[in-house]
Structures are given as C-alpha cells and as structure tokens.
Amino acid sequence: MNRLGKILLVEDDHRDVELTMLALRECRLVNEVVEVNDGSDALDFLFCRGAFEDRDPENPAVVLLDLKMPKVGGLQVLKEIRESQDLKRIPIVILTSSRQETDLIRSYDLGVNAYVVKPVEFGEFMEAVKQLGIFWAIINEPPPRG
Amino acid sequence: MQEELEDYREGLERLVRERTAQLEEANRELEAFSYSVSHDLRAPLRHINGFVSLLQRHSSGFDKESQRYVEIISSSTSRMGRTELMKKRIDVDLLVKRVIAEISEPEDSSKIAWNLERLPEVEADSGMLRLVFVNLISNAMKYSRKRPDPEIWIAHERKDGEDVFSVKDNGVGFDMSYKGRLFGVFQRLHRQDEFEGVGIGLANVRRIIMRHGGKVWAEGEAGKGATFYFSLPSQESERKHE
C-alpha cells in the first residue's frame, strides 16, 4: 500500500485546476494535493529549490502533468525528472488536451507511466481524474525510498 | 528524337514528384490546422461543460426559465464535444421538420415552398445526422434565396438495400464539371459576396455520412438548381451482414 505520498498537480489553466481538484476531493483521498502552475515551479518543487527549498523532501506518489504550459512545458519537466538520479522513478501521468501523435510518442519515449487525454464531457472528466487519483495514490505500489 | 523523348519524360516525372510533394505538404498543413482548431476548441468546451454541470448541481434554487437555459447550454456543449458515433433509431421525418423550424427565419418560411416526403426511421447518430440536414437544408435555402419562387424538395427512396435521402432546390445550381470539388474542405464554387460561407459544410456532411458507411453525391445544372443525395445502409441490409 501507498504511504499517502503527495499528489503533485502541474497545470497552468486555473479552470482545469479547479475541476481536477474537485474530482480528487470527491474521491476522498487523504493524500495532500500540491498545485503548481507551470513547469519551472514543478521542477523547483521536485528538486526542493527556490520557494520549495524547505519542503518535506519526500518525492510525490505521482505527478499529474499537463503538456502545454508557458516557460517550461510538460515534456521538458518529464525529461528532467527521468534524467535525475533522485527523481527518475516517480510515477508520471500526462493529463492533457492533446491527442497529437508526436506528443504521445515523445511522452512514452521519455518514460511516462500513463497518458490520459482530458475528456471534454464533465462526467467523464471527473471519472477519469478520480480513477487516476485512486489508482496512483492508493492502489499503486510506489518505488522504494532512495 | 529518342533523347528528346527521354528528356521530356524525365521532366514530366519530376513535375509529378514535385506536385505530389506539394500536395502532401498541403495535406499535412491542413491536418495540422484542423488538429489545432479542434485542440483549441476542446479546452474551452471542457470548461463550459464542467462549470455548467457544477451550476446544475445548484439548479434546484433556480426558477424554471433559468433551469431551462442551463439545460440548453449543457446539451449543446455535449453535442459539440462528442466525436464517437452513438447510433440509435431516429425518426428522420421529425428530425427534418425540427431542423427546418430551427434554421428558417420568419421571412423565409412564407416565401419558400417546401415539398416534404414522408421520411422513414433510420439507425444513426442523431446529433450528426442533424448536422447533415442542417448543412444540406441551409445550403438549399441559401442558394435559392435569390429566386422569386424558391422551392425545396426533401425526399427518400429505398434502393439496393440503402436509404437514399435527397435535398433538392431550384436555386443557382452548379456546373457538373465541378462536382468533384463540392465535398472538399474549403472548396467554394461561389464568391463570398454572392453567398457567404467558409466551405466546410459539405465536407462535414461527407465525413459524417462516410462514418455511417454511406455515400454522398450531387447533381446540378448552373442556374437550374441542385440536388444533394446521401445514402445510409438500411437496417435490413445491415442485419444480413451481422
């Protein structure tokens, strides 16, 4: 079982943040959800630097990662995570509007653990996020602490 | 002489290769364009859909009219977002009458003479089939608008295991030599100031009908009107294949 690690939500669109947070709240996860709004903040959080220098250094149980973001995009974040000795095993789920083949290929090449296209219909969107939350925060066995 | 022919042939082959490359490039650009359009539409659509659904959770406090507005927004956004076919039995007769009522302005309905045959039930995606009729009927209205006596016929025929529907008008028509371009994306046979439009309506009609396993075609004559046909495999013939 999971040790109730954090869920890191990386999403620049505040409307998507609100809908995603709502879905995660509705599945009553006890895991803390940390929200950052662009790729560079995500990297600061993961590498415990900048505004996140003093955070509890445990890696999140899963990162829900948007692709199209200003400054540092999702693929770049994914790449840096996979290149880091300390972070490379963190489960990463791409949560995006893009079904573009190049995005899918790049993501899988970079070692993503799941790729989910945000459903347009509200009920389906909520259901998808809830399933992701429950699976990665509760059912999935995380990598052992380094 | 032999050499000249050889040169000529090589020149032609090069030309074909160049043209093919240009066409492929244009096709890729078009795909990228339609992809980005649909991508750009999907995010705002998801937000409208999401927040309207949240609003509906509070709708018990709304008066009847506000509840109705919220329901309309909600059903319209889900109609836009759907891409997979959801087939069910549809009363085409009712569908067509609703479409006509929906798209005609008060001044049209008195002017246009409608000839509607009794239309059957079919198995199809109702939202998509509705789009097909919206496109064909509004085209018929648009291109017959300048006539003093516009007339539109909507008919059905069962033929070789297919339901064939047709929408005919007595409008400006088209030259049959252009019939291959009618259903292409961004193809327009008329100038923007003659008849408005961006040229994707019939391309959508074709895509929708093809996804249903049917065909589209058209007949027309410049100045004498046009008839647009589409076929859907009828239920009897579909059952035989199962």
Side-chain angles (χ1 to χ4, degrees), chain B residues 106-212:
Chain B
E107 66 266 24
D108 297 328
S109 44
S110 53
K111 208 175 144 207
I112 299 171
W114 293 95
N115 305 282
L116 307 181
E117 261 182 32
R118 169 91 197 140
L119 304 173
E121 289 191 346
V122 296
E123 196 91 17
D125 182 298
S126 72
M128 299 226 183
L129 192 63
R130 187 183 153 279
L131 260 184
V132 167
F133 277 110
V134 166
N135 274 300
L136 294 181
I137 295 171
S138 58
N139 271 355
M141 289 166 68
K142 179 160 80 177
Y143 293 111
S144 59
R145 196 198 301 142
K146 293 182 179 169
R147 280 194 66 106
D149 55 344
E151 195 164 355
I152 296 173
W153 296 260
I154 301 177
H156 164 264
E157 189 182 2
R158 182 156 294 170
K159 209 172 162 186
D160 305 328
E162 290 184 322
D163 283 306
V164 178
F165 294 88
S166 59
V167 178
K168 178 181 172 194
D169 66 67
N170 61 347
V172 294
F174 62 89
D175 184 334
M176 277 301 264
S177 56
Y178 294 124
K179 70 173 185 196
R181 287 172 46 189
L182 279 173
F183 294 96
V185 183
F186 304 129
Q187 295 284 0
R188 304 211 56 222
L189 298 186
H190 302 276
R191 290 199 322 268
Q192 186 68 28
D193 55 356
E194 291 177 305
F195 295 100
E196 70 288 356
V198 290
I200 57 172
L202 287 176
N204 281 338
V205 166
R206 192 176 77 110
R207 252 187 56 203
I208 291 171
I209 296 303
M210 281 174 66
R211 285 185 66 181
H212 280 83

Side-chain angles (χ1 to χ4, degrees), chain A residues 4-9 29-35 45 56 60:
Chain A
L4 295 184
K6 295 185 181 67
I7 296 173
L8 177 62
L9 174 62
L29 295 176
V30 215
N31 309 57
E32 184 190 344
V33 184
V34 178
E35 168 205 338
F45 178 89
D56 153 27

Side-chain angles (χ1 to χ4, degrees), chain A residues 7-25:
Chain A
I7 296 173
L8 177 62
L9 174 62
V10 189
E11 170 63 68
D12 64 315
D13 190 314
H14 59 93
R15 290 154 294 204
D16 277 330
V17 169
E18 190 170 338
L19 295 175
T20 308
M21 288 295 219
L22 182 69
L24 291 174
R25 266 204 306 282

Side-chain angles (χ1 to χ4, degrees), chain B:
Chain B
M1 176 71 183
Q2 186 69 31
E3 213 167 282
E4 236 171 74
L5 267 177
E6 188 70 11
D7 280 353
Y8 185 62
R9 194 179 61 83
E10 271 173 20
L12 273 181
E13 277 179 4
R14 197 172 52 242
L15 197 63
V16 168
R17 274 198 304 276
E18 280 168 16
R19 287 284 145 82
T20 310
Q22 283 168 2
L23 271 176
E24 281 169 355
E25 181 56 31
N27 206 17
R28 266 196 300 278
E29 266 173 34
L30 191 59
E31 265 172 31
F33 171 74
S34 75
Y35 175 81
S36 72
V37 168
S38 75
H39 178 258
D40 291 347
L41 285 175
R42 220 174 287 139
L45 198 56
R46 184 173 62 249
H47 300 142
I48 299 171
N49 199 305
F51 288 97
V52 165
S53 304
L54 292 177
L55 194 58
Q56 279 177 314
R57 291 181 177 182
H58 303 279
S59 69
S60 55
F62 292 2
D63 60 48
K64 273 232 158 58
E65 201 62 357
S66 313
Q67 278 184 17
R68 197 177 68 85
Y69 294 157
V70 172
E71 264 160 39
I72 292 172
I73 300 172
S74 166
S75 74
S76 303
T77 52
S78 33
R79 207 159 62 202
M80 257 178 94
R82 218 153 28 75
T83 49
E84 75 280 20
L85 290 184
M86 297 219 307
K87 285 194 187 179
K88 57 175 190 190
R89 271 199 99 63
I90 300 162
D91 181 347
V92 184
D93 208 62
L94 191 65
L95 179 96
V96 165
K97 282 177 183 145
R98 285 199 179 137
V99 167
I100 292 171
E102 204 174 302
I103 62 180
S104 25
E105 304 287 335
E107 66 266 24
D108 297 328
S109 44
S110 53
K111 208 175 144 207
I112 299 171
W114 293 95
N115 305 282
L116 307 181
E117 261 182 32
R118 169 91 197 140
L119 304 173
E121 289 191 346
V122 296
E123 196 91 17
D125 182 298
S126 72
M128 299 226 183
L129 192 63
R130 187 183 153 279
L131 260 184
V132 167
F133 277 110
V134 166
N135 274 300
L136 294 181
I137 295 171
S138 58
N139 271 355
M141 289 166 68
K142 179 160 80 177
Y143 293 111
S144 59
R145 196 198 301 142
K146 293 182 179 169
R147 280 194 66 106
D149 55 344
E151 195 164 355
I152 296 173
W153 296 260
I154 301 177
H156 164 264
E157 189 182 2
R158 182 156 294 170
K159 209 172 162 186
D160 305 328
E162 290 184 322
D163 283 306
V164 178
F165 294 88
S166 59
V167 178
K168 178 181 172 194
D169 66 67
N170 61 347
V172 294
F174 62 89
D175 184 334
M176 277 301 264
S177 56
Y178 294 124
K179 70 173 185 196
R181 287 172 46 189
L182 279 173
F183 294 96
V185 183
F186 304 129
Q187 295 284 0
R188 304 211 56 222
L189 298 186
H190 302 276
R191 290 199 322 268
Q192 186 68 28
D193 55 356
E194 291 177 305
F195 295 100
E196 70 288 356
V198 290
I200 57 172
L202 287 176
N204 281 338
V205 166
R206 192 176 77 110
R207 252 187 56 203
I208 291 171
I209 296 303
M210 281 174 66
R211 285 185 66 181
H212 280 83
K215 290 191 292 289
V216 289
W217 66 100
E219 286 167 6
E221 196 179 326
K224 295 202 172 157
T227 311
F228 285 85
Y229 299 89
F230 69 87
S231 67
L232 293 171
S234 73
Q235 270 63 73
E236 285 77 12
S237 70
E238 270 188 3
R239 258 179 226 126
K240 258 185 268 162
H241 291 296
E242 275 166 14

